[in-house]
Amino acid sequence: MEREIKPGPRKGLVIVHTGNGKGKTTAAIGLMFRALGRDFKTIMLQFIKSKKHIYGEHILAEKLGIEIRPLGDGFSWESKNIEQDKNLAKLCWDQCKEAIESKKYDMIILDEFTYPLKYGWLDINEVIPVIKNRDPNLHLVITGRNAPEEIVEIADLVSDIQVIKHPFKNGVRAQLGVEM
Ligand code: ATP
Ligand code: MG
Protein backbone atom coordinates (compact mmCIF):
# COMPACT_ATOMS: atom_id res chain seq x y z
CA MET A 1 0.00 0.00 0.00
CA GLU A 2 1.35 3.42 -0.97
CA ARG A 3 1.65 5.92 1.81
CA GLU A 4 2.85 9.52 1.55
CA ILE A 5 5.49 10.30 4.19
CA LYS A 6 4.70 13.59 5.89
CA PRO A 7 7.45 16.16 5.38
CA GLY A 8 8.96 18.00 8.33
CA PRO A 9 8.61 21.77 8.74
CA ARG A 10 10.51 23.49 5.95
CA LYS A 11 14.15 24.24 6.70
CA GLY A 12 16.60 25.20 3.99
CA LEU A 13 19.54 22.79 4.03
CA VAL A 14 23.13 23.17 2.96
CA ILE A 15 23.91 19.90 1.17
CA VAL A 16 27.44 18.96 0.09
CA HIS A 17 28.45 16.19 -2.31
CA THR A 18 32.19 15.75 -2.09
CA GLY A 19 34.85 13.01 -2.43
CA ASN A 20 36.78 11.49 -5.32
CA GLY A 21 34.09 9.09 -6.57
CA LYS A 22 31.74 9.65 -9.48
CA GLY A 23 28.22 10.81 -8.77
CA LYS A 24 28.45 14.26 -7.16
CA THR A 25 26.95 16.21 -10.04
CA THR A 26 24.57 13.46 -11.10
CA ALA A 27 23.23 13.14 -7.52
CA ALA A 28 22.65 16.91 -7.53
CA ILE A 29 20.72 16.58 -10.79
CA GLY A 30 18.68 13.84 -9.10
CA LEU A 31 17.83 16.24 -6.26
CA MET A 32 16.84 18.85 -8.81
CA PHE A 33 14.51 16.33 -10.45
CA ARG A 34 12.90 15.54 -7.09
CA ALA A 35 12.54 19.21 -6.17
CA LEU A 36 11.01 20.05 -9.57
CA GLY A 37 8.46 17.33 -8.89
CA ARG A 38 7.34 19.43 -5.92
CA ASP A 39 7.13 22.53 -8.13
CA PHE A 40 10.21 24.03 -6.49
CA LYS A 41 12.00 26.75 -8.42
CA THR A 42 15.50 25.47 -9.01
CA ILE A 43 18.67 26.51 -10.79
CA MET A 44 22.04 24.83 -11.26
CA LEU A 45 25.01 27.18 -11.67
CA GLN A 46 28.03 25.36 -12.99
CA PHE A 47 31.61 26.38 -12.38
CA ILE A 48 33.40 24.86 -15.31
CA LYS A 49 37.12 24.39 -15.47
CA SER A 50 37.69 24.35 -19.19
CA LYS A 51 35.85 25.41 -22.30
CA LYS A 52 32.15 24.80 -22.53
CA HIS A 53 31.01 21.23 -23.06
CA ILE A 54 27.46 20.17 -23.77
CA TYR A 55 26.14 17.43 -21.50
CA GLY A 56 22.95 15.39 -21.77
CA GLU A 57 21.43 17.33 -18.89
CA HIS A 58 21.84 20.63 -20.79
CA ILE A 59 19.93 19.23 -23.75
CA LEU A 60 17.07 17.93 -21.59
CA ALA A 61 17.01 21.06 -19.40
CA GLU A 62 16.59 23.23 -22.46
CA LYS A 63 13.77 21.03 -23.74
CA LEU A 64 12.00 21.21 -20.37
CA GLY A 65 12.71 24.87 -19.62
CA ILE A 66 14.84 24.01 -16.56
CA GLU A 67 17.65 26.36 -15.64
CA ILE A 68 21.16 24.91 -15.80
CA ARG A 69 23.60 27.74 -16.36
CA PRO A 70 27.24 27.04 -17.20
CA LEU A 71 29.24 29.97 -15.82
CA GLY A 72 32.39 31.48 -17.23
CA ASP A 73 31.35 30.80 -20.80
CA GLY A 74 33.99 31.51 -23.34
CA PHE A 75 36.74 31.85 -20.76
CA SER A 76 39.48 29.44 -19.88
CA TRP A 77 39.95 28.49 -16.25
CA GLU A 78 43.38 27.18 -17.03
CA SER A 79 44.98 30.53 -17.64
CA LYS A 80 48.50 31.02 -16.36
CA ASN A 81 47.34 34.25 -14.83
CA ILE A 82 45.97 33.93 -11.29
CA GLU A 83 44.54 37.46 -11.39
CA GLN A 84 42.50 36.53 -14.47
CA ASP A 85 41.24 33.39 -12.71
CA LYS A 86 40.27 35.46 -9.70
CA ASN A 87 38.40 37.97 -11.82
CA LEU A 88 36.51 35.21 -13.59
CA ALA A 89 35.70 33.42 -10.32
CA LYS A 90 34.41 36.72 -8.94
CA LEU A 91 32.14 37.23 -11.98
CA CYS A 92 30.80 33.68 -11.54
CA TRP A 93 30.32 34.09 -7.80
CA ASP A 94 28.44 37.36 -8.39
CA GLN A 95 25.88 35.39 -10.43
CA CYS A 96 25.54 32.80 -7.64
CA LYS A 97 25.19 35.54 -5.04
CA GLU A 98 22.55 37.26 -7.12
CA ALA A 99 20.58 34.00 -7.45
CA ILE A 100 20.85 33.33 -3.68
CA GLU A 101 19.79 36.85 -2.75
CA SER A 102 17.02 37.03 -5.38
CA LYS A 103 14.67 34.90 -3.22
CA LYS A 104 13.44 33.49 -6.53
CA TYR A 105 14.51 29.92 -5.85
CA ASP A 106 13.70 27.04 -3.51
CA MET A 107 16.82 25.08 -4.43
CA ILE A 108 20.12 26.34 -5.86
CA ILE A 109 22.90 24.00 -6.92
CA LEU A 110 26.45 25.33 -7.13
CA ASP A 111 28.13 22.63 -9.19
CA GLU A 112 31.93 22.20 -8.87
CA PHE A 113 31.91 25.16 -6.50
CA THR A 114 34.67 23.69 -4.32
CA TYR A 115 37.35 24.26 -7.00
CA PRO A 116 37.52 28.08 -7.08
CA LEU A 117 37.69 27.93 -3.28
CA LYS A 118 40.37 25.26 -3.29
CA TYR A 119 42.55 27.12 -5.77
CA GLY A 120 42.18 30.36 -3.86
CA TRP A 121 40.42 32.21 -6.69
CA LEU A 122 37.50 32.94 -4.42
CA ASP A 123 37.76 34.02 -0.79
CA ILE A 124 35.86 31.65 1.50
CA ASN A 125 35.22 34.58 3.87
CA GLU A 126 33.21 36.26 1.15
CA VAL A 127 31.12 33.14 0.56
CA ILE A 128 30.25 31.96 4.08
CA PRO A 129 28.17 35.01 5.15
CA VAL A 130 26.12 34.84 1.93
CA ILE A 131 25.33 31.17 2.62
CA LYS A 132 24.59 31.80 6.29
CA ASN A 133 22.35 34.81 5.64
CA ARG A 134 20.36 33.22 2.82
CA ASP A 135 16.59 32.82 2.97
CA PRO A 136 16.01 30.19 5.72
CA ASN A 137 13.86 28.15 3.31
CA LEU A 138 16.48 27.93 0.57
CA HIS A 139 18.12 24.57 -0.04
CA LEU A 140 21.69 25.06 -1.26
CA VAL A 141 23.59 22.18 -2.84
CA ILE A 142 27.36 22.33 -3.37
CA THR A 143 29.34 19.75 -5.32
CA GLY A 144 33.03 19.13 -5.93
CA ARG A 145 36.06 17.33 -4.54
CA ASN A 146 37.88 18.56 -1.45
CA ALA A 147 35.04 20.54 0.13
CA PRO A 148 36.67 23.15 2.38
CA GLU A 149 36.31 22.62 6.13
CA GLU A 150 34.46 25.92 6.51
CA ILE A 151 31.74 24.71 4.11
CA VAL A 152 31.47 21.29 5.80
CA GLU A 153 31.20 23.10 9.14
CA ILE A 154 28.07 25.06 8.16
CA ALA A 155 26.50 22.25 6.10
CA ASP A 156 23.54 20.19 7.29
CA LEU A 157 24.17 17.20 5.05
CA VAL A 158 27.53 16.09 3.70
CA SER A 159 28.05 13.00 1.57
CA ASP A 160 31.56 11.82 0.81
CA ILE A 161 31.43 9.80 -2.41
CA GLN A 162 34.38 7.43 -2.69
CA VAL A 163 35.79 5.41 -5.60
CA ILE A 164 35.66 1.65 -5.39
CA LYS A 165 35.96 1.16 -9.14
CA HIS A 166 35.96 3.50 -12.09
CA PRO A 167 36.11 2.25 -15.71
CA PHE A 168 38.60 5.01 -16.53
CA LYS A 169 41.23 2.93 -14.70
CA ASN A 170 40.74 0.18 -17.26
CA GLY A 171 41.09 2.60 -20.13
CA VAL A 172 37.34 2.90 -20.80
CA ARG A 173 36.65 6.39 -22.03
CA ALA A 174 33.71 8.64 -21.10
CA GLN A 175 30.36 7.19 -22.18
CA LEU A 176 27.54 9.12 -23.81
CA GLY A 177 24.57 9.25 -21.44
CA VAL A 178 26.73 8.26 -18.46
CA GLU A 179 29.33 11.00 -18.26
CA MET A 180 28.09 13.48 -20.82
P1 ATP B 1 29.31 13.08 -12.49
O1 ATP B 1 29.17 14.40 -13.19
O2 ATP B 1 29.41 11.98 -13.46
O3 ATP B 1 28.31 12.89 -11.40
P2 ATP B 1 31.19 13.89 -10.48
O4 ATP B 1 30.51 15.20 -10.44
O5 ATP B 1 31.10 13.02 -9.27
O6 ATP B 1 30.74 13.09 -11.76
P3 ATP B 1 33.65 15.19 -11.22
O7 ATP B 1 34.83 15.23 -10.34
O8 ATP B 1 32.85 16.42 -11.43
O9 ATP B 1 32.73 13.99 -10.71
O10 ATP B 1 34.13 14.58 -12.59
C1 ATP B 1 33.33 14.51 -13.68
C2 ATP B 1 33.84 13.50 -14.68
O11 ATP B 1 35.00 12.81 -14.22
C3 ATP B 1 32.84 12.40 -14.98
O12 ATP B 1 32.98 12.13 -16.35
C4 ATP B 1 33.29 11.22 -14.18
O13 ATP B 1 32.97 9.93 -14.69
C5 ATP B 1 34.76 11.42 -14.14
N1 ATP B 1 35.25 10.88 -12.87
C6 ATP B 1 34.70 11.06 -11.66
N2 ATP B 1 35.38 10.39 -10.72
C7 ATP B 1 36.39 9.78 -11.37
C8 ATP B 1 37.47 8.91 -10.97
N3 ATP B 1 37.60 8.57 -9.69
N4 ATP B 1 38.33 8.49 -11.93
C9 ATP B 1 38.18 8.85 -13.20
N5 ATP B 1 37.20 9.65 -13.65
C10 ATP B 1 36.32 10.10 -12.75
MG1 MG C 1 30.88 17.03 -11.02
Side-chain angles (χ1 to χ4, degrees), residues 1-6 38:
M1 193 169 57
E2 299 269 337
R3 195 167 65 89
E4 184 94 356
I5 301 167
K6 252 193 142 178
R38 299 298 179 183

Side-chain angles (χ1 to χ4, degrees), residues 143-162:
T143 84
R145 296 178 188 207
N146 305 103
E149 230 171 78
E150 294 91 331
I151 297 276
V152 170
E153 178 83 31
I154 61 164
D156 300 280
L157 194 169
V158 182
S159 292
D160 183 10
I161 299 177
Q162 292 302 316

Side-chain angles (χ1 to χ4, degrees), residues 10-18 23-36 40-47 67-69 71 93 96-97 99-100 105-117 127 130-132 134-135 137-145 147-148 151-152 154-161:
R10 175 86 174 255
K11 182 205 180 304
L13 302 172
V14 175
I15 300 173
V16 178
H17 298 166
T18 193
K24 299 174 289 296
T25 299
T26 44
I29 293 166
L31 272 178
M32 201 177 189
F33 194 92
R34 182 170 281 171
L36 286 162
F40 281 14
K41 288 254 173 292
T42 68
I43 185 170
M44 179 183 269
L45 297 141
Q46 297 185 307
F47 282 78
E67 278 186 277
I68 299 185
R69 190 191 303 167
L71 301 169
W93 168 242
C96 300
K97 199 170 159 220
I100 293 169
Y105 300 101
D106 299 289
M107 180 184 283
I108 295 178
I109 298 164
L110 306 182
D111 189 39
E112 322 291 356
F113 184 56
T114 57
Y115 300 104
L117 295 170
V127 167
V130 175
I131 297 179
K132 278 190 169 166
R134 76 193 187 285
D135 184 313
N137 284 333
L138 174 66
H139 297 300
L140 189 69
V141 184
I142 293 170
T143 84
R145 296 178 188 207
I151 297 276
V152 170
I154 61 164
D156 300 280
L157 194 169
V158 182
S159 292
D160 183 10
I161 299 177

Side-chain angles (χ1 to χ4, degrees), residues 52-93:
K52 187 179 170 188
H53 294 287
I54 294 290
Y55 291 83
E57 59 263 32
H58 295 135
I59 299 166
L60 183 66
E62 183 151 350
K63 282 184 195 163
L64 297 178
I66 296 167
E67 278 186 277
I68 299 185
R69 190 191 303 167
L71 301 169
D73 250 18
F75 294 92
S76 166
W77 283 105
E78 272 119 328
S79 84
K80 305 274 177 308
N81 183 339
I82 179 94
E83 281 314 308
Q84 201 174 310
D85 289 335
K86 281 186 176 172
N87 288 339
L88 175 57
K90 174 85 176 65
L91 287 174
C92 294
W93 168 242

